[in-house]
Amino acid sequence: MKNVTDIFGTMVFNDSVMKARLPGEAYRQVQLSIKLGKGLDRSTADVVANAMKDWAIEKGATHFTHWFQPMTGITAEKHDSFIAPADGGRIIMEFSGKELIKGEPDASSFPTGGLRATFEARGYTAWDPTSYAFIKDDTLCIPTAFCSYGGEALDKKTPLLRSMEAINRQGMRVLRLFGNGDAGFVKTTCGPEQEYFLIDEDVFLRRPDLVYTGRTLFGAKPPKGQELGDHYYGMIKPRVAAFMAELDEELWKLGILAKTEHNEVAPAQHELAPVFMTTNIAADHNQITMELMQKIAKKHGMVCLLHEKPFAGVNGSGKHNNWSMTTGTGANLLEPGETPYENAQFLLMLCAVIQAVDDYQDMLRLSITSASNDLRLGADEAPPAVISVYVGEELEEILNAIERGEPYGGKEKELIKVGVHALPKLPKDTTDRNRTSPFAFTGNKFEFRMPGSSSSISGANVVINTAVAESLRQYANELELSDNFENDLHELIRRVIRKHKRIIFNGNGYGEEWLKEAERRGLLNLRTTPDCAHAYLEQKNVELFIRHSVYSEIELAARYKMKLDNYCKVLRIEAETMLHMLRRDILPAVSAYSAELANAAISKQELGIECSFEKDGAAHISRLISSCCDVARELDAAIADVSALPENYTRAVAGRDRLIPTMTRLRSLVDELEVHTSAEYWPMPTYGEILFSVN
Ligand code: ADP
Ligand code: MG
């Protein structure tokens, strides 16, 4: 094992490299541009680009790329080499400030939601100096935002950066009211826990459903799954351990703080948690992490599945989004304080999050929605589609006491008045965490547990940041006018608790009971993507994003289109894949097997030998085959009908209501066939073979 401190960040053009390699003035300019978002002038950009190039070439790089995050959810890059022709047939290695700052990828095939007509198909990429350049595969990668020529965001990064600015603006207003104006800035932090499956590559390649859709569309329940819980935190198998060691090393080189690696609940399921970071950088890091997981798995003869629900009946994969707010002086704003004033500030921040989650339940649900995550939410191991906040019993009692103006505490019960009394020490015990809550306070941060494993964390954080910025804006507007701060603060907090406590739920989020209770409380239960997509167009949400300059109305409309478009496409690909597998592999195999059984039955019958297994088996399989054919024809018709619908939304609803139920029926017939078919005939690896394929 190499020395971690020696390799950490060696492939990153980070602050210390910049300090060492840039002339003082250029370094100062870059710092300003990072802190204030100011663009660099051309000559400074040239100096920075040249230093970057020299550094990258020393590290073996030959190419550079603007690395960006289009709406496909994965990252994109177009490599250019540094070479430029020189006299005498020679070449020189060149990289200009212009190339650093702006790129013009021919990006006409990325999803745009109608934001660009093809005649103006070019978008442009613009350097994000807040995220360091790095070297991957001998290529200098420049993190960039991706926009249309009109300046509309076509990516996941741009709105996230805008939302970071929004929370900074409003957060600072509130901090000033508490006398903390010297905190410098407010930013959010994020630590996304990444879950994934590792399976053997040979097994993967023999499953067209995994290849085409990332999940199994068929598969009978294996005799052993996750019921013994013997995989969770269990011994890590040698192949997986080798993978994790290499992954850690590659991530560390890129300055990514991979911290914990362990086995998850399902067989073949694992998790990686990084140390938290500034949210927009954490988002970049998570994208790199997902990419490296897939690449490194391949090197070890395995495939990394990032799909939210690769196996029915087995836990799916999420990406818990741990989130908090920090100041420029390093204070965590969700950390309960020592003094009454700190506590008052903490309570107001807590209220800001509670209100944000309640006011924008629909946007939060939408921010994590996809055809694949719809399969996971509410499926026993993941939170339901209803959003609620867990604050823990003690904190809830404190909030209740404040709201009702009642005493709180043990022996010497006290009336809690915000800003006057110190709160009792809040427990930060990790053991009593409620793991069924979609949005849980875990001592000094919130953990949003709904995001899926395959998607970018940007969307969720854009919503959390902006919605919390809006709560803070309202509080600042009110309190800035106050001439009795303590009193008005107390009243404000009471009012917020009263209005938004319906979103607080400390019980079991997985139970049926909660769904009924949530309905009584008037909370939203948006089960599927078509149910929640409309939130992009709701007036209150449009106003929110425009007010904080995070999305324009046009950008929201484009995202609405893209969301539904993607949903429709995924459903269609899955339906087509099912039919493909059924007709090319499954039906021929089971038909041959039933014929063999029938022939055996005839031979045995002639000899007067008992042949009920062969005869009944052949009959049962034949019946299932003909039912499969019927349902397959229905699915054909459903695909044709759904595809003919003219409009995204109606197509999405029809896809959900016609394709999915038909696919479910087809699947259960095929799974029944699997159980009754000889292993020799079954044309693809079973769940057992896939889930236990890595040793
Ligand atoms: P668990 O599995 O119990 O939820 P983990 O230790 O696996 O806990 O993950 C906790 C995650 O929370 C880590 O990624 C950690 O970096 C992150 N985290 C801790 N503090 C903060 C914070 N202030 N802001 C954002 N994320 C945080
Ligand atoms: Mg967690």
Side-chain angles (χ1 to χ4, degrees), residues 189-191 193 271 273-276 322-324 332 433 435 444-445 447:
T189 52
C190 177
E193 300 162 53
E271 179 186 298
V275 177
F276 65 95
N322 296 277
W323 180 95
S324 191
N332 180 350
R433 286 186 188 179
R435 295 193 171 270
N444 60 358
K445 62 179 175 0
E447 181 170 350

Side-chain angles (χ1 to χ4, degrees), residues 188-195 232-233 257 259-260 262 264 271-279 320-326 332-335 430 433 435 442 444-447 449:
T188 66
T189 52
C190 177
E193 300 162 53
Q194 177 73 50
E195 292 182 334
Y232 192 46
Y233 281 73
L257 290 156
K259 177 90 173 157
T260 44
H262 63 78
E264 260 301 328
E271 179 186 298
L272 181 147
V275 177
F276 65 95
M277 273 274 159
T278 305
T279 301
H320 294 172
N321 190 86
N322 296 277
W323 180 95
S324 191
M325 293 177 276
T326 324
N332 180 350
L333 295 175
L334 290 176
E335 179 95 49
T430 51
R433 286 186 188 179
R435 295 193 171 270
T442 50
N444 60 358
K445 62 179 175 0
F446 276 94
E447 181 170 350
R449 299 206 177 93

Side-chain angles (χ1 to χ4, degrees), residues 464-479:
I464 303 173
N465 288 348
T466 315
V468 173
E470 173 58 19
S471 309
L472 295 174
R473 184 190 74 89
Q474 293 177 12
Y475 304 165
N477 280 355
E478 188 171 326
L479 294 173

Side-chain angles (χ1 to χ4, degrees), residues 392-429:
E393 266 169 38
E394 179 143 22
L395 202 45
E396 189 181 21
E397 275 175 37
I398 293 172
L399 296 179
N400 283 339
I402 295 172
E403 185 215 338
R404 296 199 210 104
E406 281 170 5
Y408 172 82
K411 272 188 225 133
E412 297 149 49
K413 289 200 170 183
E414 262 192 306
L415 260 179
I416 292 195
K417 192 141 167 42
V418 172
V420 180
H421 292 89
L423 292 181
K425 263 260 167 275
L426 292 170
K428 231 191 298 172
D429 184 6

